[in-house]
Amino acid sequence: WLCMARPANVFTPGREFCFGEDGTLIAVAGDRGDEGMVWVDFSVAGPAFTAALERCGQVPLPPYIGRLDKRPTAEDAARYQTIYASRPGAVAAPTAGLHFTPELDARLRERGIGVAEITLNVGPGTFKPIKEENLDNHAMHAEWYEIPPATWEAAAATKRTGGRVVAVGTTSARTLESAAAEGALSGWTRLFIRPGYEWRMVDG
C-alpha cells in the first residue's frame, strides 16, 4: 500500500511497525514515494486486512473540525460521514455532503427534486495544496469514479427537459464532468476544474 506517513523519515526501509492494542497488524516500510508517501507491506491482506483496519484504525479528522479535543471518539465514524456513503474506497469524506440528514433528503424529494448518486473515491491528493503559481504546472491527482447508467440518464434527461443538474460539492462535480469529457461512466480522472473551465453537465 502507498501510505501517507508522518514523519516520513521514520519509515526507513525494512522497519516494522505494530498497530492496535494486540499488535497483530504489522507493517514493514518499503521505498519512499513522493511528498511524504511510503510504500508499506502489511502482514495481512484481503478481508482480514479490512477487519484489521476497522479494529486498529481511527477516523482521521481534518483540521477544520472545530472540536477542542481532537482525540477520536466512537461517534466519529458515523458523524464524519455522509448519509449516502455505501462502500469503502475514499481516504476522506466528501465534505460538501456532511450537512445532509435523512430529514433534509426527504424534504428535497418531497419538493420534487430528483436525487441520484455517484461514486468518486477521494484520494490522498485531496490533501495536496497547489504550490505552483502557474496552474498549468500543477500536477493533478488521479481519483477513481463510477456513475450508474441510471444516474447518468437521469442527469441527461434533466438537461433535455430544461432542468438543472446540481452537484453537491467538487467531488460530485468532478465525477460528472469527467464522464462528460471522457465519454465513460467509470475510470480514473485527473480533471482540474479552474477558472475558464467550460461546464458540460453540471449547472450548479
Side-chain angles (χ1 to χ4, degrees), residues 1 70 147:
W1 292 84
K70 295 290 186 178
I147 302 175

Side-chain angles (χ1 to χ4, degrees), residues 9 21 37 58 107 114 123 133 135 158-159 161 176 181 191 196 201:
N9 60 3
E21 293 180 6
M37 305 292 278
Q58 299 170 349
R107 284 168 52 202
E133 192 164 323
L135 294 181
T158 296
K159 291 185 79 69
T161 56
L176 291 168
L191 181 63
M201 177 59 79

Side-chain angles (χ1 to χ4, degrees), residues 157-165 203:
T158 296
K159 291 185 79 69
R160 284 196 302 270
T161 56
R164 299 174 71 234
V165 174
D203 298 303

Side-chain angles (χ1 to χ4, degrees), residues 61-78:
L61 293 180
Y64 55 75
I65 297 291
R67 196 168 75 201
L68 293 178
D69 186 351
K70 295 290 186 178
R71 288 175 295 183
T73 70
E75 289 184 322
D76 288 342

Side-chain angles (χ1 to χ4, degrees), residues 40-125:
V40 175
D41 199 10
F42 287 96
S43 56
V44 293
F49 180 60
T50 302
L53 287 182
E54 292 290 337
R55 189 175 67 253
C56 303
Q58 299 170 349
V59 175
L61 293 180
Y64 55 75
I65 297 291
R67 196 168 75 201
L68 293 178
D69 186 351
K70 295 290 186 178
R71 288 175 295 183
T73 70
E75 289 184 322
D76 288 342
R79 298 206 53 179
Y80 182 57
Q81 186 59 276
T82 61
I83 61 169
Y84 40 79
S86 61
R87 56 185 177 178
V91 302
T95 53
L98 288 178
H99 68 286
F100 276 79
T101 62
E103 294 77 19
L104 177 57
D105 182 64
R107 284 168 52 202
L108 291 171
R109 293 171 191 266
E110 286 168 5
R111 292 180 60 179
I113 296 172
V115 178
E117 298 180 0
I118 53 90
T119 294
L120 183 133
N121 288 335
V122 179

Side-chain angles (χ1 to χ4, degrees), residues 11-17 27-31:
F11 288 74
T12 53
R15 185 169 182 182
E16 287 192 358
F17 297 84
V28 179
D31 293 334

